[in-house]
Amino acid sequence: MNFWDSFIIMFLVAFLNVVLYIIFKRYLYGKPDAGMKFLTMNIGKDVFWLITSLIIIDKTRENFLFMIICFVIGSFLIYLSIIKLINKS
């Protein structure tokens, strides 16, 4: 995998997570069922990211492993920040 492909994949996961966090903080935080609405939006974001990433990269085992690692790290970070935010309230 070349550098630009991996950079685009990492940038997309980071950018989409930041956008989702901002949307959650502005519009959903403190509302009823905020966690479920976040999960619904996050699944849509993950599907979009997965399809975009699969279009960009070559279909090899190493690239797929890289995508899995990016997905796990990105998901862990977004869930950690949202759960901390929900637990504060």
Side-chain angles (χ1 to χ4, degrees):
M1 175 184 312
N2 71 30
F3 172 76
W4 288 110
D5 291 346
S6 59
F7 176 76
I8 290 171
I9 290 171
M10 288 187 295
F11 175 76
L12 270 176
V13 76
F15 176 74
L16 292 173
N17 280 342
V18 168
V19 168
L20 185 62
Y21 181 78
I22 291 170
I23 290 171
F24 177 80
K25 184 112 179 184
R26 277 196 190 153
Y27 301 111
L28 298 176
Y29 181 63
K31 307 255 167 100
D33 294 329
M36 293 304 290
K37 291 175 185 173
F38 164 75
L39 288 174
T40 304
M41 291 174 47
N42 193 42
I43 290 171
K45 175 207 53 108
D46 289 339
V47 169
F48 172 77
W49 176 79
L50 177 66
I51 292 170
T52 305
S53 298
L54 286 173
I55 290 171
I56 291 172
I57 66 169
D58 298 327
K59 287 24 167 220
T60 63
R61 181 175 294 193
E62 293 82 17
N63 293 344
F64 187 70
L65 181 62
F66 176 74
M67 277 182 49
I68 296 295
I69 291 170
C70 287
F71 175 77
V72 168
I73 292 171
S75 294
F76 175 76
L77 293 175
I78 189 78
Y79 283 118
L80 180 70
S81 60
I82 295 297
I83 289 171
K84 282 184 179 180
L85 194 62
I86 288 175
N87 283 337
K88 280 185 186 179
S89 59

